[in-house]
Amino acid sequence: MFPSNQDISSSTIEPGSFRDPSGFIFTFEEEIYRAIAPSYFEHFSLFTNSGLYKSLLEKKLIIEHVDKEKFLVNGFPEYKIIKAKQIPFVSYPYEWSFSQLKDAALLTLEIQKESLKHQMILKDASAYNVQFNGSQPVFIDTLSFEKYKECEPWKAYGQFCRHFLAPLALMSYTSVELSKLLADYIDGIPLELASLLLPRRAKFLNSGIAMHIAVHARMEKNYSSTNSAQRSKINLPKKKLLALLQHLEECISGLQLKKRKSSWLSYNSDNSYSKEAVQHKEKTISNWLKKIKPEMVWDVGCNTGKFSLLASNHSDYVLAMDADDYCMENFYCELKKAGNKKILPLKIDLSNPSPSLGWANEERKNISQRGKADALLALALLHHLRIGNNVPFAHIANYFSVLAQNLIIEFIPKDDGMIHKMLKTREDIFSDYTEENFRNAFETYFTIHEREALHDSGRILYLMNKK
């Protein structure tokens, strides 16, 4: 039963939605709601009554919403309220693999084409309008649609190119690492910058890049000195708009990620575990997860996703994080092929996780602000943080206690072959790297429940619970 009147002060307005004059998102009792402004009523009515919403919902392209007519918010009495189906974890474009961003782009174009069939159009084409339910992209912004006016240019065209085409082209032709620019430019990578960073051959090999990035960048520069009256004279009939959308789709579909070897892709077969140790590790983790019974598991430093898949058998949802672009790309493609909606793979480096960004550092939240794990898996990761990144045990323990209630962590002794490899190229200044010091640091924040030495490896698993 919903209250007849609810003070907005006891709810939480989502900072990431404050720029939209059509409405805003807020939470109440951990549920997600959208308040729709009167100025958008006409468009929203067309969205629901034209059959567009039903069509998108049937095709599983958009998030489901339910009207909450009796839910009133003080200060916004005229606003219409809808309740949206909740996504298990909110992610951002700069955390997605190449194929995730590509699929989000193609989803946006598909929705745009479907909208035109119902005499509507996307007024914006932000990558933040898309979220992932496991490996399935889904559109979440029900206020992005407006009535289509014949011959009017697509006002979201530039935004689409900045949010999707520019980063995908840079990842494909220059470096996959350039997706990180999306964190610096939260309204998309400027087309002029993208054009400068792309090699000449990209513009010759792909006509879409030449047209939608290089030429588009020059046109934007020219239009900046053109008055609005002149710009408004530009006509784009529906037939030409559909041709534009088709060209964008073909351009993006043709982009591929350069094949490159990653040492982490072969980690499962190139490590210091024996077959018996691997089996022992899998069995122990499975047994511990059965005891914990977590709804949400975070697998940090998930590598190829082997233990994320295992964790998904004992939980409702798994957030799989790793810093390696190619590991996350391969894992996402595997999950997509299998139709897996229980695991969300994200490209996140735990030694430098996604920060809070945007206006007042509140529009885009860091990972600890977006949710918490019932169980955190930190397998074969501790030595990378302590030795590879010089992070003291105490700092690691403190951060892990912020992220999760339960912790399954692996300690690898210094005489392990993988640590020997790490120390070949640097001085061993890590005299504190001992199991005793590890335990002392973590026992400040956690209670140790179980310790399991893995067969024939010297490696040790710990099950801990936050104090």
Side-chain angles (χ1 to χ4, degrees):
M1 179 67 66
F2 289 91
S4 60
N5 200 29
Q6 178 60 38
D7 193 341
I8 195 68
S9 64
S10 63
S11 305
T12 303
I13 296 179
E14 174 57 45
S17 68
F18 80 96
R19 296 181 189 272
D20 189 354
S22 300
F24 59 87
I25 297 171
F26 68 95
T27 59
F28 175 71
E29 295 182 348
E30 298 184 353
E31 299 285 355
I32 305 296
Y33 297 88
R34 188 182 292 274
I36 304 172
S39 61
Y40 188 73
F41 285 176
E42 180 184 355
H43 298 294
F44 186 74
S45 177
L46 181 60
F47 172 64
T48 54
N49 296 331
S50 67
L52 176 56
Y53 170 66
K54 181 181 178 182
S55 175
L56 296 177
L57 195 62
E58 287 175 349
K59 294 179 179 181
K60 299 180 180 179
L61 303 179
I62 197 167
I63 201 75
E64 186 178 2
H65 74 253
V66 179
D67 288 348
K68 294 297 177 186
E69 295 179 0
K70 294 182 181 180
F71 193 105
L72 302 177
V73 179
N74 283 342
F76 302 89
E78 303 300 323
Y79 278 52
K80 179 181 179 66
I81 307 298
I82 60 174
K83 180 176 176 289
K85 185 176 180 181
Q86 205 152 340
I87 296 292
F89 189 86
V90 172
S91 60
Y92 300 135
Y94 43 84
E95 298 168 337
W96 299 342
S97 67
F98 174 83
S99 289
Q100 279 175 299
L101 184 61
K102 183 176 179 178
D103 287 346
L106 294 174
L107 172 77
T108 303
L109 290 174
E110 185 177 358
I111 288 174
Q112 170 71 319
K113 290 194 289 185
E114 186 66 24
S115 299
L116 288 170
K117 294 178 184 178
H118 296 79
Q119 296 303 307
M120 298 204 79
I121 193 169
L122 288 176
K123 65 178 181 179
D124 57 67
S126 167
Y128 295 95
N129 288 344
V130 180
Q131 285 297 322
F132 281 84
N133 192 3
S135 62
Q136 182 183 10
V138 62
F139 200 82
I140 63 167
D141 191 357
T142 48
L143 305 191
S144 284
F145 304 86
E146 66 181 14
K147 187 176 181 180
Y148 171 68
K149 296 177 182 178
E150 186 65 39
C151 293
E152 187 174 74
W154 184 27
K155 65 178 71 172
Y157 170 52
Q159 188 179 45
F160 180 87
C161 292
R162 293 194 304 273
H163 279 240
F164 293 111
L165 182 57
L168 285 168
L170 289 169
M171 293 168 78
S172 178
Y173 285 100
T174 307
S175 171
V176 69
E177 295 285 338
L178 290 179
S179 65
K180 294 175 182 176
L181 285 173
L182 286 168
D184 291 323
Y185 298 97
I186 62 171
D187 193 29
I189 299 172
L191 299 185
E192 186 175 11
L193 175 61
S195 185
L196 288 170
L197 292 173
L198 284 166
R200 283 187 178 182
R201 63 184 181 85
K203 298 158 193 175
F204 287 108
L205 293 173
N206 192 314
S207 63
I209 290 175
M211 173 182 171
H212 302 298
I213 294 181
V215 174
H216 191 169
R218 290 197 294 271
M219 290 176 67
E220 281 189 336
K221 194 173 183 179
N222 292 335
Y223 283 161
S224 65
S225 59
T226 304
N227 65 49
S228 58
Q230 289 176 301
R231 292 198 298 270
S232 66
K233 293 179 182 178
I234 300 172
N235 289 333
L236 187 67
K238 185 184 286 189
K239 186 176 180 180
K240 288 188 177 181
L241 174 55
L242 287 169
L244 174 70
L245 297 174
Q246 184 63 32
H247 196 245
L248 282 168
E249 186 175 326
E250 291 170 359
C251 173
I252 288 172
S253 296
L255 293 174
Q256 302 295 329
L257 194 61
K258 291 179 183 177
K259 290 185 178 180
R260 192 196 77 182
K261 287 185 178 180
S262 169
S263 59
W264 298 111
L265 285 173
S266 59
Y267 181 79
N268 286 334
S269 58
D270 184 20
N271 55 50
S272 56
Y273 295 102
S274 65
K275 183 178 179 180
E276 292 74 18
V278 172
Q279 292 174 344
H280 189 189
K281 183 176 180 178
E282 291 173 353
K283 184 178 179 180
T284 301
I285 292 170
S286 291
N287 288 337
W288 287 353
L289 287 173
K290 287 177 184 177
K291 290 181 180 180
I292 297 169
K293 298 178 181 177
E295 292 183 10
M296 173 74 78
V297 172
W298 288 14
D299 185 4
V300 291
C302 68
N303 193 244
T304 59
K306 177 184 178 71
F307 287 94
S308 297
L309 288 166
L310 184 149
S312 70
N313 294 326
H314 306 287
S315 62
D316 294 336
Y317 204 74
V318 177
L319 180 59
M321 293 181 272
D322 200 277
D324 190 276
D325 290 274
Y326 289 88
C327 280
M328 290 294 91
E329 172 70 9
N330 280 20
F331 192 32
Y332 170 71
C333 291
E334 289 174 5
L335 294 170
K336 177 185 173 184
K337 186 176 180 180
N340 191 312
K341 297 180 183 178
K342 290 188 67 176
I343 303 174
L344 173 62
L346 294 180
K347 187 177 58 177
I348 293 177
D349 181 354
L350 204 67
S351 67
N352 183 28
S354 305
S356 301
L357 296 172
W359 178 255
N361 294 117
E362 292 182 341
E363 281 187 83
R364 310 297 171 220
K365 300 175 182 179
N366 64 52
I367 57 171
S368 63
Q369 293 172 320
R370 284 177 263 164
K372 296 289 186 292
D374 299 306
L376 186 76
L377 298 185
L379 308 174
L381 175 68
L382 187 69
H383 59 300
H384 289 289
L385 296 175
R386 178 66 198 101
I387 296 175
N389 295 102
N390 285 32
V391 183
F393 283 142
H395 287 66
I396 301 170
N398 180 33
Y399 188 42
F400 283 3
S401 72
V402 171
L403 299 180
Q405 183 64 34
N406 297 283
L407 172 64
I408 297 176
I409 189 168
E410 184 175 10
F411 180 82
I412 299 178
K414 215 173 189 181
D415 59 2
D416 187 274
M418 301 306 287
I419 293 184
H420 284 174
K421 286 183 181 180
M422 293 179 69
L423 292 173
K424 274 185 179 180
T425 57
R426 63 179 305 180
E427 181 184 356
D428 184 0
I429 58 172
F430 306 99
S431 58
D432 68 320
Y433 190 89
T434 66
E435 186 180 0
E436 181 182 5
N437 287 334
F438 155 72
R439 288 180 60 122
N440 289 339
F442 274 76
E443 284 183 313
T444 301
Y445 303 93
F446 293 91
T447 299
I448 296 174
H449 289 290
E450 295 191 46
R451 175 188 184 275
E452 188 77 16
L454 299 179
H455 295 317
D456 306 322
S457 71
R459 299 185 175 209
I460 303 159
L461 289 176
Y462 279 89
L463 173 61
M464 305 182 185
N465 178 266
K466 188 165 72 171
K467 289 182 176 178

